[in-house]
């Protein structure tokens, strides 16, 4: 009889023991059952422009501001928001004309990186977020470094996924844009138009990946829809042309790194034709201690190696918090 009772106990424990446990008559849920706060999709008006943003996690926790690249939006950080919301407060804005933010005409809004950074800085001010880590990728780097140099005391850390700040970090894919910088005319603009095509956008997400089938095609299709709106090509051509002004600020950003030594996590896709691994290695010149991680993937490393990168972010931010 005792054997039967013991066997029944073992069966019940096997079925239910992994899901919850009782301590002093209190039922404790396992981590897999813990309810996570959902990602919220919000909008706030900044200087007459509705800025869309995604927000997740408890605002009382350390904040990470997620700054997206081209041709994406806050959508590129969907995995980060979902997986880190239990420990951190995350906020990911869409720049003007990107994602779900307003798309003002070029006659109404100056599409330069100076102005976009000004808008996102004002966004953070309006949200009353005065202390934050910055996660930067692609366009997120020139936006983020402008904010960091303006408010070094607010930046607790930098998480860098293919966000460049060095001349040696500009890869072969910049040839057409360099020609545009040298002489902007209908021919140099026409040479860049394939970047806005469906195939061109797909290339940005899939080039350099180990397995194309792991990359969600919804990403480039969503970007293509947004780039197909009236005036979208012209606005993004303006930003391509203005990118040359970021290079002029590289010495200032590098000085910021030397002076402030922000905790820095590098999670870099080494096969990126725009920002190859040389761009990641260059940070070693100015930052003494770097959590340095290189992945065998492309420009949007989160798409293929998101789980591993997100765990790196969690561990890094936990250390920074201490």
């Amino acid at each position: 009889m005792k054997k039967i009772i013991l066997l029944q106990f073992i069966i019940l424990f096997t079925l239910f023991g992994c899901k919850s446990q009782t301590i002093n008559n209190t039922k404790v849920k396992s981590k897999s059952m813990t309810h996570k706060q959902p990602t919220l999709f919000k909008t706030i008006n900044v200087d007459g422009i509705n800025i869309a943003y995604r927000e997740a996690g408890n605002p009382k926790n350390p904040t990470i501001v997620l700054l997206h690249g081209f041709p994406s939006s806050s959508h590129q950080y969907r995995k980060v928001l979902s997986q880190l919301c239990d420990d951190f407060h995350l906020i990911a804005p869409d720049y003007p004309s990107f994602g779900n933010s307003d798309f003002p005409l070029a006659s109404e809004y100056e599409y330069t990186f100076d102005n976009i950074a000004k808008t996102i800085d004002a966004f953070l001010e309006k949200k009353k977020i005065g202390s934050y880590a910055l996660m930067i990728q692609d366009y997120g780097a020139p936006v983020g470094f402008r904010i960091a140099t303006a408010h070094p005391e607010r930046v607790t850390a930098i998480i860098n996924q293919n966000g460049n700040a060095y001349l040696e970090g500009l890869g072969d894919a910049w040839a057409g844009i360099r020609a545009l910088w040298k002489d902007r005319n209908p021919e140099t603009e026409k040479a860049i138009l394939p970047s806005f095509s469906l195939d061109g956008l797909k290339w940005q997400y899939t080039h350099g990946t180990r397995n194309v089938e792991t990359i969600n095609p919804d990403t480039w299709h969503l970007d293509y829809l947004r780039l197909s709106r009236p005036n979208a090509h012209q606005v993004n051509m303006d930003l391509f042309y203005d990118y040359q002004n970021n290079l002029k600020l590289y010495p200032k950003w590098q000085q910021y790194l030397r002076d402030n030594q922000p905790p820095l996590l590098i999670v870099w896709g080494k096969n990126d034709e725009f920002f190859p691994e040389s761009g990641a290695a260059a940070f070693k010149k100015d930052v003494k201690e770097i959590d340095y991680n290189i992945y065998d993937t492309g420009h949007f490393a989160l798409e293929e190696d998101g789980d591993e990168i997100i765990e790196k972010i969690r561990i890094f931010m936990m250390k920074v918090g201490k």
Side-chain angles (χ1 to χ4, degrees), residues 46-312:
V46 178
D47 298 327
I49 298 173
N50 290 313
I51 297 297
Y53 63 100
R54 303 177 190 223
E55 187 170 13
N58 188 338
K60 294 181 179 180
N61 288 335
T63 297
I64 306 175
V65 177
L66 310 166
L67 299 174
H68 67 81
F70 171 86
S72 191
S73 64
S74 59
H75 179 258
Q76 79 176 68
Y77 290 119
R78 62 198 181 281
K79 297 178 184 178
V80 180
L81 289 155
S82 175
Q83 295 183 41
L84 291 183
C85 63
D86 51 347
D87 290 320
F88 306 100
H89 173 227
L90 303 119
I91 189 161
D94 293 334
Y95 313 143
S97 84
F98 287 81
N100 295 308
S101 287
D102 277 355
F103 188 170
L105 297 174
S107 58
E108 301 169 344
Y109 184 87
E110 184 183 15
Y111 284 97
T112 64
F113 286 93
D114 278 347
N115 204 31
I116 289 176
K118 179 182 176 182
T119 298
I120 298 304
D121 192 20
F123 163 81
L124 294 173
E125 292 275 0
K126 196 159 188 178
K127 287 287 294 178
K128 298 181 179 179
I129 298 174
S131 177
Y132 43 80
L134 291 172
M135 183 165 184
I136 57 177
Q137 193 268 346
D138 189 77
Y139 279 9
V143 174
F145 277 117
R146 280 173 170 82
I147 292 171
T149 52
H151 310 290
E153 75 286 354
R154 299 181 183 180
V155 179
T156 60
I158 295 175
I159 302 159
N160 190 342
Q161 192 261 286
N162 296 62
N164 192 52
Y166 296 85
L167 291 176
E168 53 265 56
L170 297 174
D172 295 338
W174 287 91
I177 298 176
R178 286 183 183 276
L180 182 76
W181 295 343
K182 188 176 181 180
D183 182 13
R184 184 174 182 178
N185 60 61
E187 288 302 313
T188 54
E189 288 192 354
K190 183 178 178 181
I192 293 175
L193 289 178
S195 299
F196 305 143
S197 69
L198 191 58
D199 285 342
L201 296 171
K202 177 181 178 180
W203 180 88
Q204 292 195 50
Y205 280 93
T206 60
H207 178 79
T209 59
R210 299 184 304 280
N211 183 359
V212 173
E213 292 181 349
T214 66
I215 311 303
N216 188 342
D218 292 346
T219 52
W220 62 83
H221 280 88
L222 181 60
D223 294 342
Y224 179 71
L225 286 173
R226 287 169 174 156
L227 280 166
S228 298
R229 294 175 294 179
N231 302 312
H233 287 189
Q234 188 62 42
V235 161
N236 282 279
M237 198 72 71
D238 289 345
L239 286 172
F240 281 0
Y241 185 72
D242 184 63
Y243 199 96
Q244 62 187 301
N245 291 315
N246 296 329
L247 278 60
K248 300 172 185 176
L249 292 176
Y250 282 0
K252 180 179 180 180
W253 302 347
Q254 294 159 14
Q255 189 64 50
Y256 157 79
L257 293 169
R258 287 193 293 273
D259 292 344
N260 293 275
Q261 295 296 312
L264 176 60
L265 172 66
I266 295 283
V267 281
W268 202 283
K270 69 176 184 177
N271 305 322
D272 187 344
E273 289 288 328
F274 289 96
F275 305 116
E277 186 181 350
S278 54
F283 282 88
K284 295 179 180 180
K285 297 188 297 183
D286 295 314
V287 182
K288 295 177 182 178
E289 295 185 14
I290 303 177
D291 189 340
Y292 190 81
N293 306 272
I294 303 298
Y295 297 87
D296 183 17
T297 191
H299 185 65
F300 288 102
L302 283 168
E303 294 300 323
E304 187 165 36
D305 291 304
D307 290 345
E308 185 175 345
I309 290 172
I310 290 166
E311 192 56 29
K312 288 283 185 182

Side-chain angles (χ1 to χ4, degrees), residues 22-26:
T22 302
I23 302 175
N24 296 329
N25 296 320
T26 301

